[in-house]
Amino acid sequence: MAKLQFSMCSWRAGAECEERNWVDLPRDVVSTIFQKLGAIEILRRAQRVCSVWRAISKDPLLWRTIDMRNSGDVDFHLGLMCRRAIDYSSGHLLHINIDYFATDDLLHYITDSTSHLRCLRLAYCYQISDEGLCDVAKKLPQLEELDISISNLNKDPLEAIGRCCPQLKSLKFNMEGYRRPHIECDAEAIAIAETMPGLRHLQLFGNKLTNEGLLAILEGCPHLESLDLRQCFNLNLGGSLGKRCAEQIKELRLPHDPTDDYPFEAEIDYGSPDEDYPSVISDIDFLSDDDYYDYYEFSAGSDFSEYDYDLDYYDF
């Protein structure tokens, strides 16, 4: 954000310029400016200008949308600021974006603060566990959009979301695309097909589903309007299945379609050029789907409560 100015010029008749204090701006004008800034800029800078702006920054209607997307350079201040923004929302929160720094604890804080959440985005959410997302699913009855891009999550939270969120219309469950090792997994696709019949939009970038999983989705989600299958390299859409996709789906993105508009890393990992299963992973070549996920020990969320700290102590 450009450095805040404390005075402005307004043209009078005769093109004269008058100095005016920003504190004198009408409340609705300041609120409009704040909406353009975004959550991080408001909390770190704008609310610190003066007591009037700080009071305006606490308006619950200003925090119906909390967008805290960032470049991945994360420190614990983001979690603290997010909780403060949630407090300011006073239960009015509808949309939240917490890329990179989401944890199980933060998810619980969000769902304990509002039952009206409609859109949740969790990109690069490696600190979210299957159990954590399953636990909060029942607290999201009005959820309409869910974006889980780049994570360790498996089919279990998808099933929980499908069962507990009947209003869900849009799902993004994206992975990083790779060619080798060759792994086929229809677990997520089957979970979606069996629990999310109302889906209109589905993105499965880099997923390991096969034709069987795709067919299940087409049959279980009859209202699909858009389907993104880019870098889903296990699919063979040259026959009747490809024809059905083209006929049933209005907006279809195929495995080899361009990725220019994809917001995350889309470079393909081709692995070893000589073999499907490089020796460095030989120990897990033939694990079942459940065992494959259990093989890796990922974080199950933060080990401490970020909110134990005095928020006013920190200079955001």
Side-chain angles (χ1 to χ4, degrees), residues 251-270:
E251 299 179 20
L252 179 64
R253 308 294 292 273
L254 300 175
H256 294 279
D257 281 355
T259 61
D260 297 346
D261 61 342
Y262 185 65
F264 307 110
E265 176 61 49
E267 183 176 350
I268 303 170
D269 183 357
Y270 287 92

Side-chain angles (χ1 to χ4, degrees), residues 24 41 55 60 68 79 98 107 153 217 223 250-251 283 304:
D24 295 333
E41 294 295 344
M68 299 191 67
I98 43 177
L107 270 187
L153 301 173
I217 288 174
H223 304 293
K250 294 179 181 178
E251 299 179 20
D283 290 339
F304 61 92

Side-chain angles (χ1 to χ4, degrees), residues 109-139:
Y109 197 85
I110 293 168
T111 55
D112 287 343
S113 302
T114 179
S115 59
H116 306 294
L117 197 67
R118 296 179 184 175
C119 179
L120 175 63
R121 174 170 169 167
L122 302 170
Y124 288 93
C125 52
Y126 290 119
Q127 296 185 76
I128 297 292
S129 68
D130 294 324
E131 295 79 6
L133 192 50
C134 287
D135 287 344
V136 302
K138 57 182 175 292
K139 302 177 184 178

Side-chain angles (χ1 to χ4, degrees), residues 77-274:
H77 284 169
L78 289 176
L80 296 173
M81 285 191 290
C82 186
R83 290 171 186 250
R84 172 173 281 177
I86 293 166
D87 290 345
Y88 286 169
S89 73
S90 299
H92 292 273
L93 180 61
L94 299 176
H95 311 269
I96 189 165
N97 180 339
I98 43 177
D99 293 353
Y100 290 96
F101 68 94
T103 65
D104 287 349
D105 287 344
L106 185 54
L107 270 187
H108 280 286
Y109 197 85
I110 293 168
T111 55
D112 287 343
S113 302
T114 179
S115 59
H116 306 294
L117 197 67
R118 296 179 184 175
C119 179
L120 175 63
R121 174 170 169 167
L122 302 170
Y124 288 93
C125 52
Y126 290 119
Q127 296 185 76
I128 297 292
S129 68
D130 294 324
E131 295 79 6
L133 192 50
C134 287
D135 287 344
V136 302
K138 57 182 175 292
K139 302 177 184 178
L140 298 169
Q142 297 188 36
L143 192 68
E144 298 178 1
E145 300 179 33
L146 177 62
D147 183 346
I148 302 176
S149 293
I150 323 299
S151 71
N152 334 315
L153 301 173
N154 65 23
K155 65 180 181 62
D156 293 339
L158 290 179
E159 291 177 345
I161 291 290
R163 290 193 302 268
C164 300
C165 307
Q167 305 299 321
L168 193 67
K169 300 294 188 297
S170 176
L171 173 67
K172 295 181 180 180
F173 191 73
N174 300 320
M175 303 294 182
E176 293 177 305
Y178 60 89
R179 290 284 198 174
R180 299 181 179 87
H182 180 80
I183 296 174
E184 296 181 357
C185 179
D186 286 315
E188 295 96 351
I190 299 299
I192 292 168
E194 293 181 347
T195 65
M196 303 179 185
L199 277 185
R200 263 63 174 180
H201 309 284
L202 177 61
Q203 185 176 72
L204 292 174
F205 194 101
N207 198 272
K208 300 288 105 180
L209 82 165
T210 68
N211 283 20
E212 180 180 349
L214 176 56
L215 181 59
I217 288 174
L218 294 177
E219 293 179 348
C221 306
H223 304 293
L224 271 183
E225 300 173 10
S226 66
L227 179 60
D228 190 342
L229 300 170
R230 284 176 292 177
Q231 296 194 9
C232 296
F233 297 123
N234 291 335
L235 295 175
N236 181 357
L237 302 179
S240 59
L241 182 58
K243 181 179 179 181
R244 177 173 177 177
C245 286
E247 293 174 348
Q248 184 173 335
I249 308 298
K250 294 179 181 178
E251 299 179 20
L252 179 64
R253 308 294 292 273
L254 300 175
H256 294 279
D257 281 355
T259 61
D260 297 346
D261 61 342
Y262 185 65
F264 307 110
E265 176 61 49
E267 183 176 350
I268 303 170
D269 183 357
Y270 287 92
S272 169
D274 301 320

Side-chain angles (χ1 to χ4, degrees), residues 250-311:
K250 294 179 181 178
E251 299 179 20
L252 179 64
R253 308 294 292 273
L254 300 175
H256 294 279
D257 281 355
T259 61
D260 297 346
D261 61 342
Y262 185 65
F264 307 110
E265 176 61 49
E267 183 176 350
I268 303 170
D269 183 357
Y270 287 92
S272 169
D274 301 320
E275 56 184 352
D276 283 342
Y277 297 95
S279 59
V280 293
I281 58 154
S282 59
D283 290 339
I284 62 169
D285 287 351
F286 302 103
L287 294 179
S288 67
D289 292 336
D290 291 336
D291 289 339
Y292 177 76
Y293 288 109
D294 291 339
Y295 182 85
Y296 298 97
E297 295 183 358
F298 293 111
S299 171
S302 63
D303 294 330
F304 61 92
S305 174
E306 296 167 313
Y307 210 53
D308 289 341
Y309 295 88
D310 181 359
L311 298 183

